[in-house]
């Protein structure tokens, strides 16, 4: 395993992007992960303020025409190797807004997605389980 | 010489919800103007609603906002029941009221935590969110989901509150009551919070009326407005409760209004649990006749208004939604102008606008792109001010 990949298995720094086209429940549940009951900061998982510092791009919500350009740009700015995580039904396949006129395409048609966490919204436990699976995958155990 | 810079806030920020974009025009430390750009989150929900039948629309409007995920369906079912003249069973009205008030509790706790974070009290954030958890557990027990409850249905509610749910719910309420006592003490007695929040972001009575603000933002400015009392829906007219009003209009008053409203919510839920009659939880709904109906509900942030028109088919041909933040956000134009930058954060957050975090903020010289501050710097400025005050 390369050194760069090995760094991805330790404390992950997360940039959380609510891409728009979502109710904000996934975002609230992500914040919930930081508060005392779940507290993922004890594993070194931290929200950072800029994509340039992040290992993980965490995306919630379905794309809209206004936000798709910005999502693409943010992905290009992410230092590689990095991981893209889609949280919630909307980010996976536009969810309930599939028939809307302002939701052009699912997220993974625009940028590559490494981990899908389904649910509306997914429980914080599901997100932790997802991250554990991701780390195992990077380590090559899956 | 005045040094005018623009601070773009947003549109994306990791900590909070919808993307919204603010341009603060700053001269020195003072905010001189503010420009609000929204529309990043436009999903075309009203149009989607027109392609779903009346039962499905309740699920779509639930996903307008995650925090108000009962208020929107509540207003929607009120509108359809107004349109079709449906008699809702008594028990269903009480269950709706309980869920709506639980939502208000969790929303105000959430806001309190974030407001604490913005002024540098991360402990408040952690505690407030920690006391939200028992409430979310109760939601999960009753509805099966922590956030989208899907309780509302045209003609009644989807699930009953069983007798065995009531003792854990009462226990959670006791726990939250103790927590609110603690927060009340922490806010009312702390001189630093007084110094930080009093006289900040003032919205006077006249301005509040002029900008048509609603909900706690209006009530903190002395506007006596609350849909729950003015046009009772659900079981609010069968219950003894009061509307909390403050005159000052500053951020402190908004905080106090929200904290005192939590007590009222706890009181309402307790009364509902005691007075809830036995019986059916939903009425049989036949065809929806042609016509139009309006419904509203008092969301944690203010009045939610829904308008539904039917042409006799199984779908609404027009569905209009007016959400409270739409008016409240605009009032920032008054409240934030004239403040210093370090107070702008909490002023913008004080209307509980569903965007309040100021992540990804950059201060840029309007002409030369010289000075750059990001979101953390802005929060840091705000937090440093609290530390300085605390030391005095």
């Amino acid at each position: 395993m390369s050194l760069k990949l090995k760094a991805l298995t330790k404390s992950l720094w997360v940039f959380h992007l609510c891409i728009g086209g979502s109710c904000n429940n996934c975002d609230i549940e992500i914040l919930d992960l930081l508060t005392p009951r779940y507290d993922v900061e004890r594993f070194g998982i931290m929200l950072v303020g800029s994509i340039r510092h992040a290992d993980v791009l965490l995306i919630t919500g379905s794309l809209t025409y206004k936000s798709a350009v910005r999502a693409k740009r943010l992905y290009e700015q992410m230092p590689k190797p990095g991981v893209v995580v889609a949280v919630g039904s909307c980010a996976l396949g536009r969810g309930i807004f599939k028939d809307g006129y302002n939701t052009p395409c699912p997220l993974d048609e625009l940028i590559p997605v490494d981990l899908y966490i389904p649910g509306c919204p997914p429980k914080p436990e599901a997100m932790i389980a997802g991250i554990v699976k991701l780390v195992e995958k990077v380590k090559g155990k899956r | 010489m005045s040094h005018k810079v623009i601070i773009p806030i947003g549109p994306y920020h990791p900590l909070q919800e919808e993307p919204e974009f603010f341009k603060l025009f700053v001269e020195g430390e003072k905010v001189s103007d503010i420009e609000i750009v929204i529309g990043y989150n436009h999903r075309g929900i009203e149009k989607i609603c027109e392609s779903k039948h009346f039962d499905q629309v309740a699920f779509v409007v639930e996903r307008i906002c995650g925090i108000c995920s009962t208020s929107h369906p509540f207003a929607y079912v009120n509108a359809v029941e107004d349109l079709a003249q449906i008699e809702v069973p008594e028990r269903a009205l009480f269950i709706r009221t309980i869920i709506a008030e639980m939502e208000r509790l969790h929303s105000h706790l959430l806001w309190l935590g974030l407001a604490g974070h913005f002024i540098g009290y991360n402990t408040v954030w952690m505690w407030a969110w920690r006391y939200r958890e028992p409430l979310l557990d109760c939601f999960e027990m009753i509805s099966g989901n922590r956030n989208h409850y899907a309780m509302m249905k045209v003609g009644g509610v989807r699930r009953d509150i069983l007798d065995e749910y009531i003792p854990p719910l009462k226990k959670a309420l006791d726990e939250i009551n103790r927590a609110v006592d603690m927060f009340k003490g922490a806010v009312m007695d702390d001189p630093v919070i007084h110094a930080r929040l009093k006289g900040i972001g003032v919205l006077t009575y006249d301005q509040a009326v002029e900008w048509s603000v609603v909900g706690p933002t209006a009530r903190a400015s002395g506007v006596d407005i609350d849909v729950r009392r003015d046009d009772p829906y659900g079981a609010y007219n069968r219950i003894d409760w009061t509307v909390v009003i403050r005159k000052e209009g500053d951020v402190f008053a908004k905080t106090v209004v929200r904290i005192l409203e939590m007590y009222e919510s706890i009181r309402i839920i307790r009364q509902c649990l005691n007075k809830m009659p036995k019986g059916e939880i939903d009425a049989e709904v036949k065809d929806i006749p042609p016509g139009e109906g309006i419904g509203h509900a008092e969301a944690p942030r203010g009045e939610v208004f829904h308008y539904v028109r039917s042409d006799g088919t199984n779908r609404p041909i027009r569905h209009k939604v007016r959400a409270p933040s739409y008016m409240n956000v605009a009032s920032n134009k008054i409240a934030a102008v004239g403040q210093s930058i370090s107070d702008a954060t909490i002023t913008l957050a004080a209307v509980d606008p569903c965007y309040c975090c100021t992540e990804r903020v950059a201060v840029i010289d309007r002409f030369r792109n010289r000075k750059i501050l990001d979101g953390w710097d802005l929060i840091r400025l705000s937090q440093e001010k609290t530390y300085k005050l605390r030391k005095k």
Side-chain angles (χ1 to χ4, degrees), chain B residues 23 28 51 76 88 101 111 113 118 171 198 219 251 305 316 348 359 375 380:
Chain B
K23 247 188 213 167
S51 67
Y76 165 73
V88 183
E101 288 307 312
W111 177 82
F118 291 135
K171 208 176 131 212
K198 274 202 170 161
R219 290 197 283 274
V251 179
F305 177 87
L348 293 180
E359 287 311 313
R380 202 198 63 230

Side-chain angles (χ1 to χ4, degrees), chain A residues 105-123:
Chain A
C105 65
L107 179 66
D108 53 5
E109 287 180 14
L110 187 76
I111 56 178
V113 176
D114 298 290
L115 179 67
Y116 300 87
I117 302 175
C120 188
K123 290 182 73 174

Side-chain angles (χ1 to χ4, degrees), chain A residues 16 21 32 49 101-102 123, chain B residues 12 14 41-42 133 140 146 376:
Chain A
H16 163 212
D32 236 18
Y101 54 79
N102 202 27
K123 290 182 73 174
Chain B
Y12 298 109
N41 210 353
H42 181 75
E133 291 292 334
E140 198 175 355
R146 283 159 55 92
W376 293 113

Side-chain angles (χ1 to χ4, degrees), chain A residues 4 7-8 10-17 44-59 74-85 114 134, chain B residues 14 360 376:
Chain A
K4 277 181 180 170
L8 273 185
K10 303 295 178 187
S11 39
L12 292 170
W13 283 15
V14 180
F15 179 75
H16 163 212
L17 173 67
I45 298 176
M46 223 172 85
L47 284 189
V48 291
S50 164
I51 182 68
R52 292 188 173 84
H53 304 159
D55 304 307
V56 179
L57 176 60
L58 189 73
I59 296 188
L74 274 168
Y75 176 72
E76 283 158 4
Q77 289 173 355
M78 186 169 79
K80 313 285 182 312
V83 175
V84 180
V85 180
D114 298 290
L134 180 80
Chain B
R360 270 179 49 74
W376 293 113

